[in-house]
């Protein structure tokens, strides 16, 4: 079992930045792909960013490309999402997720993740 705890959400003005963190406990963090998804009110949970367990590939949704950066620190069992140039459309609950170890499938799809955090709210005011 892997437990994931997100932090770093909050209220920010448009154009501002936030860095989300997701700390993993139990399980083998370094061998799991990690992803960030988000869910706005009344909408389905959508993909934002992901990183393969090897760290050599990252993926971004078109809506966040060039503004968000996913990174990981295996020594700290933590994955980050740096979010810049935020807009009100980025307002959502942000979830981190982990795959099973050494998963090599398409990590842009939420159904391919086995563990989820509880989410952290990000609100961007105009």
């Amino acid at each position: 079992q892997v437990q994931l705890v997100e932090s770093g959400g909050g209220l920010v003005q448009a154009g501002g930045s936030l860095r989300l963190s997701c700390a993993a406990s139990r399980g083998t963090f370094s061998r799991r792909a990690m992803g960030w998804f988000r869910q706005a009110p009344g909408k389905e949970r959508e993909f934002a960013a992901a990183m393969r367990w090897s760290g050599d590939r990252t993926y971004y949704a078109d809506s966040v490309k060039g503004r968000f950066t996913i990174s990981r620190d295996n020594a700290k069992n933590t994955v980050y999402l740096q979010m810049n140039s935020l807009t009100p459309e980025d307002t959502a609950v942000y979830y981190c997720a982990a795959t099973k170890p050494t998963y090599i499938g398409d990590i842009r799809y939420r159904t391919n993740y086995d563990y989820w955090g509880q989410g952290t709210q990000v609100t961007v005011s105009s």
Side-chain angles (χ1 to χ4, degrees):
Q1 288 283 355
V2 176
Q3 293 185 335
L4 303 172
V5 179
E6 302 97 333
S7 61
L11 174 64
V12 64
Q13 289 189 333
S17 299
L18 282 174
R19 188 177 81 154
L20 305 183
S21 299
C22 173
S25 61
R26 305 180 183 175
T28 309
F29 173 81
S30 64
R31 300 180 70 194
R32 298 178 189 271
M34 299 297 296
W36 286 97
F37 292 77
R38 64 185 185 179
Q39 187 167 17
K43 295 187 177 181
E44 291 190 356
R45 193 171 300 186
E46 65 176 11
F47 168 72
M51 174 179 278
R52 293 213 172 274
W53 68 270
S54 56
D56 61 342
R57 288 291 302 273
T58 57
Y59 303 86
Y60 297 94
D62 288 343
S63 58
V64 308
K65 199 172 295 184
R67 300 187 299 122
F68 290 12
T69 302
I70 186 172
S71 61
R72 65 192 297 162
D73 185 338
N74 288 339
K76 296 182 178 180
N77 285 358
T78 301
V79 63
Y80 304 97
L81 185 67
Q82 177 66 44
M83 306 186 296
N84 299 327
S85 303
L86 286 162
T87 73
E89 288 68 38
D90 295 315
T91 295
V93 177
Y94 284 71
Y95 299 88
C96 75
T99 66
K100 63 183 180 183
T102 66
Y103 179 76
I104 60 171
D106 194 330
I107 57 175
R108 296 170 296 175
Y109 295 97
R110 59 182 180 174
T111 53
N112 293 332
Y113 288 82
D114 294 286
Y115 303 98
W116 292 83
Q118 83 289 348
T120 185
Q121 177 71 46
V122 171
T123 302
V124 184
S125 63
S126 58

